[in-house]
Amino acid sequence: MSGESASVIPRNQVDLVEFVDWSSVECLNQSGTHSLPNALKQGYREDEGLHLESDADEQLLIYIPFNQVIKLHSIAIKGPEEEGPKTVKLFVNREHMGFSNVNDFPPSDTAIFSEDNLTGKPVVVKYVKFQNVRSLTIFIEENQSGSETTKVQKIILYGTTVETTDMKGLKKIEDH
């Protein structure tokens, strides 16, 4: 748990990092030397020296698919006071989004991160809209100070997996 108190994890929720489909994760406008795994992957995100950084401007567009259906409860983003994310829009099950079409779709939720939130304090999402999540797109629209670069030290998604029925395991009941 690397120094974080257990009270940081919301009750009955787990860190969803083990359910991420790493082969399909994408991040648009990331710096070549400060990429998404630094903030999202376990082990990397605990290293204070590593972070995700935007490249051309302050915006980042992060696509995170899951290897099973999850329910998202909250999101924690740790970042520096000046360059940490401020306006963060979340989209459920929206594939192939880019900066050209991100504003064409209404977000499932929008979170405004305060300096307090940037210490890693989770922001609870509109839970009813995050019940059947196969992928999550995170659009970091702006940072705290309006500077050209956004930095993210850690992203943690809290929630639960959805119990699904294995249809192959069901047997047909014969009528007699």
Side-chain angles (χ1 to χ4, degrees):
M1 219 185 252
S2 73
E4 288 183 37
S5 68
S7 63
V8 171
I9 299 175
R11 189 181 164 124
N12 300 324
Q13 308 301 315
V14 297
D15 181 347
L16 296 169
V17 70
E18 68 184 273
F19 305 108
V20 172
D21 176 5
W22 292 104
S23 65
S24 300
V25 169
E26 293 179 3
C27 183
L28 302 182
N29 194 36
Q30 67 184 335
S31 159
T33 54
H34 300 287
S35 60
L36 180 61
N38 290 349
L40 193 59
K41 275 199 167 179
Q42 212 154 15
Y44 291 83
R45 67 184 184 190
E46 282 73 34
D47 185 332
E48 294 292 329
L50 297 176
H51 63 273
L52 165 63
E53 188 173 316
S54 64
D55 190 23
D57 60 22
E58 78 280 10
Q59 296 185 334
L60 287 162
L61 192 59
I62 303 165
Y63 174 71
I64 304 170
F66 298 98
N67 54 29
Q68 65 182 22
V69 179
I70 60 105
K71 292 181 182 184
L72 184 67
H73 174 272
S74 53
I75 179 172
I77 297 180
K78 187 176 181 183
E81 208 172 281
E82 296 286 313
E83 299 146 315
K86 182 176 182 181
T87 305
V88 178
K89 293 182 178 178
L90 305 172
F91 300 86
V92 173
N93 304 331
R94 284 263 179 226
E95 296 179 5
H96 312 296
M97 291 183 78
F99 290 109
S100 60
N101 70 354
V102 73
N103 289 317
D104 294 349
F105 305 103
S108 303
D109 201 358
T110 300
I112 305 298
F113 279 74
S114 66
E115 288 180 15
D116 187 36
N117 294 126
L118 290 177
T119 62
K121 181 180 176 185
V123 173
V124 178
V125 299
K126 294 177 184 164
Y127 196 56
V128 69
K129 293 188 176 190
F130 294 86
Q131 295 294 300
N132 193 28
V133 181
R134 291 179 302 284
S135 68
L136 181 70
T137 301
I138 302 170
F139 176 43
I140 299 175
E141 191 168 40
E142 62 182 352
N143 59 34
Q144 294 291 323
S145 64
S147 64
E148 281 295 303
T149 307
T150 297
K151 292 181 181 175
V152 177
Q153 294 162 325
K154 186 185 286 191
I155 298 172
I156 304 177
L157 304 171
Y158 294 110
T160 57
T161 56
V162 173
E163 298 297 325
T164 55
T165 303
D166 179 8
M167 298 308 278
K168 294 176 192 153
L170 297 178
K171 298 192 182 336
K172 186 176 180 182
I173 298 174
E174 303 276 334
D175 288 335
H176 286 68

